[in-house]
Amino acid sequence: MSYLDELNPSQREAAESIEGPTMVIAGAGSGKTRVLTFRIAFMMENGVDPFNILALTFTNKAAKEMTERIGKIVGPGEAKNITMGTFHSVFSRILRFNADRLGYPTNFTIYDTQDSKSLLKDIIKELNLDDKIYKPGMVLSRISSAKNNLISADAYEQNNDIMGEDIQSRRPELFQIYKTYVTRCFKAGAMDFDDLLFQTNVLLRDYPDVLHFYQQKFKYILVDEYQDTNYAQYLIVKKLAAVYENLCVVGDDAQSIYSFRGANIQNILNFRKDYPDFKLFKLEQNYRSTKNIVEAANSVIARNQDQIKKSVWTDNVVGSKLRVVRTLTDNEEGRVISSKIFDLKQGGIPTYNDFAILYRTNKQSRSFEEALRKLNIPYKIYGGVSFYQRKEIKDLLSYFRLTTNPRDEEALKRVINYPKRGIGKTSIENMIIAANTYGVSMWDVISNMNQYPVALNAGTKAKLYEFITMINSFSAQLDKLNAYDLAQTIAKSSGILRELHGEKDKGPEEVERYQNIEELLAGIKEFTISKEEDSDKSLAEFMIDVALLTDADLTSENEEKNHVTMMTIHSSKGLEFPHVFLVGLEENLFPSQMALHSRTELEEERRLFYVALTRAMNSCTLSYASSRFNWGQLVTSEPSRFIDEIEQSYLEFESPQRGGGRSLSGRSTFDQPHTGGLNKSFSSPTPPPSFKPMQQASGASKSTGSNENLKVGYIVNHDRFGKGKVTKLEGDGADKKATIFFPHHGAKTVLLRFANLTILEE
């Protein structure tokens, strides 16, 4: 039986068509990775030399898995001859091979976002600019956008439209920051992530012999996730494929969600214009999700105007309807969803790994974290501080970076006085000033203090000499020791291990930092062992791998552990989970208020919603809160328009009973499901049935339904928090709020029309 027999007719047709420009539109869960894998294997079996194949994937992890799968078909040796990886990993190696053409050292450093922001912060300070107006994150985003559109610093300054935008936003010096940033990176022998694409375009533009070489080498090019490519990536691919046009792009315009990173959906929509004789294949059978989930997602994305029409379908079971849960507050939303996960797990679902909570923004995680902890449900948040961004790891990696590239100024500033060796802040600032004055690197200054005089005392000079000698001794061993042996030498000789382990009174945080260093060294050991005998096992090679890790690569850490996954929808792309909880579905949150200025922005938000729905395999629960705290203020919310856009026959509505959470029996407490769709009355932020205003009770107690009865000092009863005293009243009419102190729960601010209070004492 041929491996191609595992494919359905559409998949097989796409895999066997290996000549000429080809576009494969792959719906969610349609098996595109398998098609790509088998297509490459088929090419090799039909005489295509693996050295002539370039495959660009979404993550390094995906590239590794595909190489292994291809190796099982054609043999591991041949599979490793394919050039496969992310844009950044593939082209960083091409840049290293041709670095001298661009004036960079072969061992140039790759700055991550933290490095870039640190450098920009220094530049903004040196230029005497207000860092509240010129925020490093905003400036970096502006520079990144320029580079992704191949606008150099000089071109930026000469572009009247761009300069006009900066002047209008009261940031007229952005161009100067950009120019200084580029100069400082070049001086430090460093590129940021955007440079890896920008400089590749420069290389292919300015050196025709280099372009010709790679056009002849990469006669067959495959690009995964083509809808997420930016202009710089698009142009690289177009140049390389210009001679043979054996270009296969795979993607789904309905899953284009990264415009904020520069991705341009027009790249896939206009493929037919670039290659009029292209062949189009559509993978429309979904193998991941139930029919209800697939059809619900289809009914939403059909509303987008800018798309390539396709009809995604599945042979899977019908499955349960998508549940829509309405809660009173965001805290209650956390409790209700956590309770549902608890119940499902108790009901027989084998592992917490089957559950994912997806949200639009990271800040939404708080209420779910609190609720999961109270039920002792293990969870892991993805998208927080990664292992390689922790201070102790960055410190040791900075020593590694200096060892491979002493001109790396960000690494040098980080560790020149860590562990402390008596080199003060003023001395460091003087060295930076000297470096900028003479137009050389900071390393050049401290290595040649006679040539570049700096106001330093004799003691500081002696300590600097010891530091330089130490780094030079590490560099001298780069070609003699493998990555692990040299890393261990640096960790010990630099004093970092002693710093984290030396004293006896270390607390748990220090212990954890030391253990993180051990974990890093263990990872380097694994790197040296896993490399083949004739492969590069140097520390420099390890640092290249670390610098090129993507968010998705890091997301896979510890995936075997038993925990609920919590992440933003953007981070979830490419993943799948049996049970998905899509939370915070409220207007101005999802879709984001920032994305309601144009149809283009709204359609991307809708594509993001489509991506979220299609992560679910067996069940999908949608939830929203009628009120949510935002910057300390309780604001009312309307359900997201996206809920209303789902064909109502695929939905089932339910609302939690007052109090939310769990009943004494351990079951979730829910009212009967709503009937009908999200009509106008349902869409308004009115309280659910169980929060109906009470009629005034007979006797001593009275309802606050009219809002007029309540006064500061009154003793009231709340269904959830019990007895409390009113300490503050504010607002009018429907927006009137009360601050109440509850002995067992502290002060709470409640919206009176939802609170259902009973007055006990006036």
Side-chain angles (χ1 to χ4, degrees):
M1 175 180 171
S2 168
Y3 59 91
L4 292 175
D5 292 337
E6 298 178 31
L7 303 178
N8 67 37
S10 298
Q11 292 174 329
R12 182 161 185 161
E13 194 177 2
E16 291 179 334
S17 179
I18 61 177
E19 300 291 335
T22 304
M23 181 163 67
V24 180
I25 298 299
S30 62
K32 69 178 176 65
T33 302
R34 172 176 286 192
V35 171
L36 272 173
T37 302
F38 287 2
R39 179 186 173 91
I40 294 172
F42 184 77
M43 288 163 62
M44 293 170 64
E45 283 194 340
N46 283 270
V48 175
D49 190 331
F51 284 100
N52 293 144
I53 299 174
L54 169 63
L56 298 166
T57 60
F58 188 58
T59 66
N60 294 299
K61 180 173 178 283
K64 183 179 178 182
E65 290 175 352
M66 283 180 61
T67 301
E68 290 173 352
R69 290 166 69 176
I70 293 168
K72 291 179 180 177
I73 300 172
V74 300
E78 286 295 285
K80 289 177 181 177
N81 294 329
I82 303 166
T83 301
M84 187 182 299
T86 65
F87 273 90
H88 294 92
S89 64
V90 169
F91 295 112
S92 72
R93 295 179 186 278
I94 289 176
L95 286 171
R96 289 187 190 281
F97 190 73
N98 296 278
D100 59 320
R101 306 254 191 157
L102 301 172
Y104 283 87
T106 302
N107 57 347
F108 63 80
T109 298
I110 299 174
Y111 277 176
D112 62 19
T113 301
Q114 191 174 326
D115 296 320
S116 295
K117 285 183 178 178
S118 174
L119 175 55
L120 286 169
K121 186 177 180 181
D122 289 344
I123 293 170
I124 291 164
K125 182 179 179 181
E126 291 165 14
L127 294 175
N128 294 315
L129 298 173
D130 188 343
D131 61 4
K132 292 183 177 61
I133 296 174
Y134 294 92
K135 295 179 180 179
M138 179 280 301
V139 174
L140 180 60
S141 177
R142 188 73 168 167
I143 292 172
S144 174
S145 179
K147 287 183 179 178
N148 285 332
N149 286 287
L150 303 183
I151 300 171
S152 67
D154 289 337
Y156 189 103
E157 184 182 6
Q158 294 164 12
N159 188 306
N160 292 331
D161 291 337
I162 294 176
M163 293 296 290
E165 289 175 7
D166 290 348
I167 292 170
Q168 191 173 10
S169 66
R170 298 181 181 179
R171 299 184 182 94
E173 299 302 316
L174 270 171
F175 81 95
Q176 188 60 53
I177 300 173
Y178 185 8
K179 291 177 75 171
T180 307
Y181 174 76
V182 170
T183 301
R184 294 280 282 275
C185 285
F186 183 76
K187 190 174 65 173
M191 295 189 193
D192 62 21
F193 254 62
D194 297 312
D195 281 325
L196 298 179
L197 303 179
F198 183 91
Q199 296 296 347
T200 298
N201 272 290
V202 171
L203 181 68
L204 300 180
R205 180 196 69 196
D206 294 350
Y207 298 93
D209 60 317
V210 175
L211 174 59
H212 176 74
F213 174 82
Y214 287 108
Q215 285 175 333
Q216 296 303 314
K217 176 174 174 58
F218 300 133
K219 295 178 181 178
Y220 293 84
I221 302 174
L222 301 94
V223 185
D224 192 13
E225 305 289 359
Y226 191 65
Q227 78 280 351
D228 292 329
T229 54
N230 59 34
Y231 179 65
Q233 292 166 324
Y234 160 80
L235 210 58
I236 291 170
V237 171
K238 189 171 174 60
K239 286 178 179 177
L240 292 177
V243 175
Y244 294 99
E245 291 196 347
N246 292 320
L247 171 63
C248 174
V249 300
V250 182
D252 182 5
D253 57 293
Q255 297 185 66
S256 179
I257 60 173
Y258 291 122
S259 66
F260 67 95
R261 294 182 184 172
N264 187 353
I265 191 174
Q266 296 304 318
N267 291 347
I268 194 167
L269 295 178
N270 292 336
F271 188 81
R272 65 189 67 201
K273 293 181 181 178
D274 290 333
Y275 306 96
D277 58 341
F278 84 112
K279 288 171 285 189
L280 174 64
F281 301 95
K282 295 181 181 180
L283 308 183
E284 298 173 308
Q285 183 174 0
N286 180 298
Y287 291 93
R288 175 187 299 154
S289 308
T290 63
K291 285 183 180 177
N292 271 325
I293 293 171
V294 169
E295 292 299 328
N298 285 347
S299 67
V300 173
I301 202 62
R303 295 173 179 264
N304 271 12
Q305 293 181 8
D306 216 3
Q307 63 173 301
I308 298 170
K309 293 295 183 182
K310 58 184 174 297
S311 179
V312 179
W313 58 279
T314 185
D315 270 341
N316 292 341
V317 298
V318 174
S320 59
K321 292 185 177 183
L322 284 70
R323 292 193 172 188
V324 182
V325 176
R326 175 176 59 178
T327 61
L328 181 62
T329 66
D330 49 345
N331 285 334
E332 186 170 48
E333 183 183 35
R335 287 192 294 272
V336 169
I337 297 304
S338 299
S339 294
K340 291 177 80 67
I341 291 174
F342 184 92
D343 288 344
L344 288 166
K345 178 68 167 61
Q346 294 298 107
I349 291 176
T351 170
Y352 282 117
N353 284 341
D354 287 349
F355 301 102
I357 298 175
L358 307 181
Y359 33 75
R360 181 65 179 81
T361 63
N362 275 310
K363 69 178 183 179
Q364 293 170 249
S365 69
R366 179 197 55 80
S367 62
F368 299 96
E369 286 189 77
E370 291 177 0
L372 290 168
R373 279 200 298 266
K374 287 177 181 176
L375 291 175
N376 292 318
I377 296 175
Y379 66 89
K380 182 175 178 64
I381 296 178
Y382 292 92
V385 177
S386 79
F387 179 79
Y388 292 100
Q389 292 297 330
R390 293 169 183 166
K391 179 189 179 302
E392 61 278 9
I393 300 301
K394 287 280 285 185
D395 291 337
L396 186 51
L397 289 178
S398 292
Y399 273 104
F400 296 168
R401 283 165 49 175
L402 269 185
T403 299
T404 58
N405 175 22
R407 288 167 54 187
D408 185 341
E409 191 167 299
E410 290 307 302
L412 179 56
K413 288 189 296 184
R414 188 177 185 100
V415 299
I416 194 170
N417 194 42
Y418 179 80
K420 289 184 179 179
R421 50 179 58 91
I423 301 172
K425 183 178 179 181
T426 302
S427 297
I428 296 171
E429 288 176 349
N430 288 339
M431 288 182 278
I432 293 172
I433 291 171
N436 294 337
T437 301
Y438 292 106
V440 295
S441 71
M442 189 175 164
W443 180 262
D444 290 331
V445 170
I446 64 176
S447 300
N448 304 278
M449 282 183 277
N450 293 330
Q451 185 177 349
Y452 307 109
V454 187
L456 301 172
N457 61 43
T460 300
K461 287 183 177 180
K463 290 161 187 170
L464 283 170
Y465 179 77
E466 290 178 6
F467 177 75
I468 294 166
T469 302
M470 177 179 66
I471 298 299
N472 283 333
S473 71
F474 296 156
S475 298
Q477 300 177 77
L478 266 171
D479 296 328
K480 299 175 183 177
L481 300 178
N482 65 35
Y484 175 72
D485 291 338
L486 182 53
Q488 196 170 44
T489 297
I490 295 172
K492 290 178 180 177
S493 301
S494 66
I496 285 183
L497 284 181
R498 185 170 58 253
E499 174 79 7
L500 295 177
H501 192 58
E503 293 87 351
K504 294 181 179 179
D505 59 346
K506 293 294 183 185
E509 290 184 2
E510 286 78 8
V511 171
E512 183 181 356
R513 285 199 286 268
Y514 183 82
Q515 290 172 340
N516 286 338
I517 293 293
E518 286 185 321
E519 180 66 24
L520 175 62
L521 292 173
I524 299 174
K525 182 72 172 179
E526 184 180 350
F527 166 83
T528 58
I529 293 173
S530 63
K531 285 282 185 177
E532 293 184 8
E533 198 59 40
D534 57 346
S535 298
D536 187 350
K537 301 181 181 181
S538 69
L539 186 62
E541 184 70 12
F542 173 78
M543 291 304 294
I544 293 172
D545 284 1
V546 169
L548 294 168
L549 284 172
T550 67
D551 292 342
D553 292 321
L554 296 172
T555 295
S556 64
E557 291 177 5
N558 301 321
E559 62 185 356
E560 75 284 353
K561 291 187 178 178
N562 184 24
H563 55 243
V564 174
T565 295
M566 295 174 62
M567 60 172 57
T568 64
I569 302 165
H570 281 102
S571 298
S572 74
K573 189 166 179 291
L575 304 177
E576 59 183 32
F577 305 91
H579 305 282
V580 167
F581 295 86
L582 180 51
V583 300
L585 281 170
E586 297 142 34
E587 283 292 299
N588 298 323
L589 182 55
F590 193 21
S592 167
Q593 188 174 19
M594 304 289 289
L596 299 178
H597 304 296
S598 68
R599 177 175 296 280
T600 299
E601 292 172 330
L602 178 59
E603 290 201 350
E604 174 147 339
E605 286 289 291
R606 188 176 287 115
R607 291 194 296 269
L608 186 60
F609 183 62
Y610 175 82
V611 166
L613 291 180
T614 54
R615 298 313 93 200
M617 299 166 68
N618 301 334
S619 76
C620 185
T621 299
L622 315 176
S623 69
Y624 70 95
S626 296
S627 59
R628 182 177 296 272
F629 275 98
N630 190 19
W631 299 104
Q633 296 293 318
L634 186 68
V635 296
T636 56
S637 308
E638 293 185 14
S640 169
R641 69 188 69 191
F642 295 149
I643 300 176
D644 203 20
E645 290 178 357
I646 298 175
E647 176 62 45
Q648 300 298 290
S649 61
Y650 304 120
L651 299 178
E652 181 176 278
F653 295 88
E654 56 184 39
S655 294
Q657 291 178 1
R658 57 176 173 261
R662 312 185 57 70
S663 67
L664 292 176
S665 66
R667 297 179 180 177
S668 294
T669 53
F670 291 99
D671 286 329
Q672 293 299 314
H674 288 281
T675 57
L678 273 178
N679 53 33
K680 293 295 181 183
S681 62
F682 185 85
S683 296
S684 63
T686 54
S690 54
F691 284 86
K692 293 176 183 175
M694 292 175 62
Q695 299 297 319
Q696 181 166 324
S698 60
S701 60
K702 293 179 285 187
S703 163
T704 64
S706 66
N707 293 338
E708 298 174 0
N709 302 331
L710 199 64
K711 295 181 180 179
V712 172
Y714 277 17
I715 305 299
V716 298
N717 186 72
H718 186 279
D719 285 348
R720 188 182 314 157
F721 303 125
K723 186 186 293 187
K725 184 176 182 178
V726 179
T727 60
K728 183 179 179 182
L729 290 170
E730 55 186 326
D732 296 303
D735 295 326
K736 191 170 184 179
K737 292 180 286 189
T739 300
I740 307 169
F741 179 79
F742 298 98
H744 298 294
H745 299 278
K748 303 286 184 183
T749 300
V750 297
L751 201 61
L752 289 184
R753 63 188 174 118
F754 289 158
N756 199 19
L757 300 173
T758 302
I759 297 173
L760 301 179
E761 298 177 27
E762 297 182 357

